[in-house]
C-alpha cells in the first residue's frame, strides 16, 4: 500500500538514498506498529497550487527570485530535473528553465500547518510536530477507539485532504527511524507499512546515508572502510563504529537495526522553530547584521507565539562568503517568545564572530529550541520591569499582522534597510534527513 516517486532525479540526495529493496515483499501486518511519520507532499508548492490549479502537473519552484535566492520547495515535476530544496535558484532555473517560479507567500504555510496538526490532535495528543510540515504520531492510545494503525493512517490522510486540499504521505512502523524512512519511500501521496518482522529486509539494501544523522562526512568515513549500505553498518562491530565515528557510532548501529530510543514525547522537546536569510550581497557591516538578526528574531518570535511556545535556548547560524558555516548556541536565563530577548541573547556571539572573521557574511539564521508551552514557562516579573512589557507590544503587532498580513506593520528598528529576499524564512525547520 504505497506510491513511489517516479523517476530517479526528483529528490534530494538524502531522499534518493532511501531507495533499495522490494517494497511489495514487506506485507501489510501492522501489529506493533504504533508509530506514524506524517510528511506533507511538496508542502510549500502544494499550498501555492491551491490557488493556482492550472499549474498542477508542470514544474513549479517556490523560492526567492533574487541573485542569492534559494529553492524553498520544488514540485515533483521539477525534481525530475534535479531541483531540490536549498539549491541556489540560479542553478535550479538552469536545470529546469521551463519551471514556474513562485515567491514564498508569507503566513500561508503556517496557517495550513496549523490545520494539519489540529487534525492530528483529534486522533491523539501523543504527537510531536518537528517542522512546519512533518511530525510523528504515537497511535498506541487510539487503537481501541479508532482501530488498527493502518486504518488510523488512512483516515488521517483522508481527513487532512478533505480539510486542506493537501496530500500527505505516512510511514507506519514500530520505531521513529523506520517510520520516517517509510514515509519517504511512500511519497508522493502514499502510505507504507513496515511490519516488525520485515524491518531488516526493508533497511538492509538502502545506502547508509539514508539513516538520520549520516551526512556526507560520515558517509565518506564509512565508505573508506567499505560500508555503503545499512546492512553493512548493521553487521559492523558496534565498538569499532564508535571508535571510527565517535558518539555517532552507537546511533548508526542502533538505527541500522531499526532500533530507536527516542519517543514521540522526547522528540516534542527537540522541535525547533527557525528562520534564515541569504543576503543579496555579502554583508560585512555589523549594524546591518544586527538588524537582520532582529528581523529573524521577530519572525521566529511570531511563530513561537502562534504555537503558544516559549524558547529555552537559541542558536545562531553564520555562513561566510566561502560557505564556511559557524554556529553558536545560548541557553536563556528564562524561556521567552519575545523578539528583542531572542536577539539580545545572540548579539554577543554575533559580534564575536564578526570581530574574528575577515570574511563577509552570506547567510544568517536564528533557531529557537528547547520549546515548552508558554503557560508553563513561569516567567516572573522583575522589580525594574516597565508597566508595558515588550511582549505586550509584540502581541499587538501579531493582531495587526493576522488581520492585514505580515508586511502590514513592523518594529521601528527594522524599517531601515531592505527586507529579506529569497532567504526562505517561511520554510522553518526542515531537518537534514527529510524533504517533502
Amino acid at each position: 500500500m504505497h506510491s513511489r516517486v517516479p523517476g530517479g532525479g526528483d529528490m534530494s540526495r538524502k531522499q534518493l538514498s532511501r531507495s533499495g529493496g522490494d517494497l511489495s515483499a514487506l506485507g501489510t501486518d501492522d501489529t506493533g506498529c504504533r508509530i506514524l511519520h506524517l510528511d506533507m507532499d511538496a508542502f510549500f508548492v502544494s499550498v501555492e497550487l491551491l490557488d493556482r490549479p492550472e499549474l498542477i502537473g508542470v514544474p513549479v519552484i517556490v523560492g526567492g527570485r533574487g541573485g542569492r535566492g534559494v529553492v524553498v520547495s520544488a514540485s515533483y515535476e521539477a525534481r525530475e530535473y534535479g531541483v531540490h530544496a536549498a539549491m541556489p535558484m540560479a542553478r535550479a532555473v538552469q536545470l529546469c528553465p521551463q519551471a514556474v517560479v513562485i515567491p514564498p507567500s508569507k503566513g500561508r504555510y503556517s496557517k495550513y500547518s496549523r490545520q494539519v496538526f489540529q487534525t492530528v490532535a483529534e486522533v491523539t495528543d501523543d504527537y510531536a510536530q518537528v517542522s512546519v510540515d512533518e511530525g510523528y504520531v504515537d497511535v498506541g492510545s487510539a487503537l481501541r477507539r479508532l482501530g488498527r494503525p493502518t486504518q488510523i493512517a488512512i483516515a488521517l490522510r483522508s481527513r487532512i485532504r478533505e480539510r486542506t486540499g493537501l496530500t500527505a504521505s505516512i510511514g507506519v512502523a514500530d520505531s521513529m527511524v523506520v517510520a520516517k524512512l517509510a514515509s519517504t519511500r511512500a511519497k508522493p501521496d502514499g502510505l507504507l507499512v513496515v511490519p516488525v518482522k520485515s524491518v531488516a529486509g526493508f533497511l538492509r539494501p538502502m545506502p547508509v546515508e539514508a539513516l538520520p544523522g549520516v551526512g556526507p562526512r560520515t558517509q565518506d568515513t564509512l565508505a573508506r572502510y567499505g560500508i555503503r549500505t545499512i546492512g553493512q553498518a548493521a553487521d559492523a562491530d558496534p565498538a569499532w563504529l564508535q571508535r571510527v565515528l565517535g558518539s555517532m557510532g552507537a546511533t548508526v548501529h542502533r538505527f541500522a537495526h531499526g532500533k530507536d530510543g527516542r519517543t514521540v514525547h522526547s522528540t516534542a522537546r527537540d522541535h525547533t522553530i527557525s528562520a534564515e536569510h541569504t543576503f543579496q550581497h555579502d554583508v560585512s557591516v555589523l549594524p546591518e547584521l544586527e538588524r537582520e538578526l532582529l528581523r529573524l528574531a521577530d519572525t521566529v518570535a511570531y511563530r513561537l507565539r502562534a504555537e503558544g511556545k516559549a524558547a529555552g535556548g537559541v542558536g545562531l547560524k553564520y555562513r561566510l562568503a566561502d560557505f564556511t558555516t559557524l554556529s553558536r548556541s545560548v541557553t536563556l536565563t528564562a524561556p521567552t517568545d519575545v523578539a528583542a530577548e531572542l536577539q539580545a541573547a545572540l548579539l554577543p556571539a554575533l559580534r564575536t564572530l564578526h570581530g574574528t572573521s575577515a570574511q563577509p557574511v552570506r547567510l544568517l539564521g536564528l533557531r529557537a529550541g528547547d520549546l515548552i508551552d508558554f503557560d508553563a514557562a513561569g516567567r516572573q516579573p522583575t522589580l525594574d520591569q516597565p508597566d508595558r512589557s515588550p511582549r505586550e507590544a509584540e502581541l499587538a503587532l501579531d493582531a495587526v499582522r493576522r488581520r492585514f498580513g505580515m508586511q502590514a506593520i513592523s518594529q521601528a528598528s527594522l524599517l531601515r534597510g531592505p527586507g529579506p529576499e529569497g532567504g526562505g524564512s517561511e520554510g522553518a525547520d526542515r531537518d537534514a534527513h527529510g524533504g517533502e
Side-chain angles (χ1 to χ4, degrees), residues 83-360:
V83 179
H84 59 78
M87 173 181 284
M89 184 60 73
R91 175 61 176 158
V93 172
Q94 277 184 336
L95 291 172
C96 188
Q98 71 272 40
V100 177
V101 179
I102 302 175
S105 298
K106 303 299 183 182
R108 294 195 72 199
Y109 312 122
S110 297
K111 169 190 169 185
Y112 280 96
S113 176
R114 285 193 297 273
Q115 291 179 5
V116 168
F117 285 96
Q118 285 167 1
T119 305
V120 172
E122 294 174 3
V123 173
T124 177
D125 292 333
D126 295 334
Y127 73 92
Q129 181 180 352
V130 296
S131 75
V132 70
D133 60 348
E134 178 186 4
Y136 293 94
V137 188
D138 185 335
V139 298
S141 63
L143 296 177
R144 185 172 298 179
R145 177 169 51 94
L146 299 176
R148 300 188 66 85
T150 303
Q151 292 175 292
I152 295 173
I154 291 171
L156 180 58
R157 292 178 61 238
S158 176
R159 202 171 304 163
I160 287 172
R161 187 163 195 162
E162 288 173 3
R163 293 185 178 181
T164 67
L166 304 172
T167 63
S169 293
I170 294 182
V172 183
D174 69 334
S175 69
M176 293 171 61
V177 62
V178 178
K180 182 174 177 65
L181 292 172
S183 70
T184 300
R185 295 294 301 277
K187 283 183 170 292
D189 192 17
L191 170 65
L192 179 62
V193 177
V194 181
V196 175
K197 66 180 181 182
S198 303
V199 167
F202 174 66
L203 293 178
R204 289 184 67 85
M206 293 187 195
V208 70
E209 62 266 29
L211 293 175
V214 177
R217 185 175 300 177
T218 302
Q219 178 190 356
D220 291 344
T221 300
L222 291 172
R224 287 201 298 270
Y225 295 97
I227 295 179
R228 293 181 170 81
T229 68
I230 292 179
Q232 290 171 329
D235 294 339
D237 177 58
W240 176 83
L241 277 175
Q242 191 151 356
R243 286 197 301 272
V244 172
L245 301 179
S247 59
M248 186 63 192
T251 301
V252 168
H253 191 263
R254 189 168 61 249
F255 282 178
H257 285 275
K259 306 297 183 185
D260 193 340
R262 299 172 299 165
T263 67
V264 168
H265 297 290
S266 67
T267 303
R269 187 170 177 80
D270 294 337
H271 170 42
T272 62
I273 295 175
S274 62
E276 60 186 40
H277 172 53
T278 301
F279 294 104
Q280 188 71 22
H281 303 285
D282 295 340
V283 173
S284 57
V285 180
L286 181 58
E288 187 172 346
L289 294 173
E290 292 179 349
R291 187 163 57 250
E292 186 55 43
L293 183 64
L294 179 58
R295 192 187 311 278
L296 295 170
D298 184 52
T299 298
V300 170
Y302 175 80
R303 294 181 188 146
L304 284 169
R305 292 189 296 271
E307 292 191 22
K309 301 293 184 182
V314 285
L316 176 68
K317 184 176 181 179
Y318 192 91
R319 179 168 294 163
L320 302 175
D322 66 355
F323 288 88
T324 298
T325 303
L326 308 172
S327 61
R328 298 292 184 269
S329 298
V330 177
T331 299
L332 301 172
T333 56
T336 186
D337 62 358
V338 177
E341 295 176 5
L342 298 177
Q343 187 218 26
L346 290 174
L347 274 176
L350 176 72
R351 290 166 179 167
T352 298
L353 288 171
H354 179 267
T356 56
S357 175
Q359 289 193 54

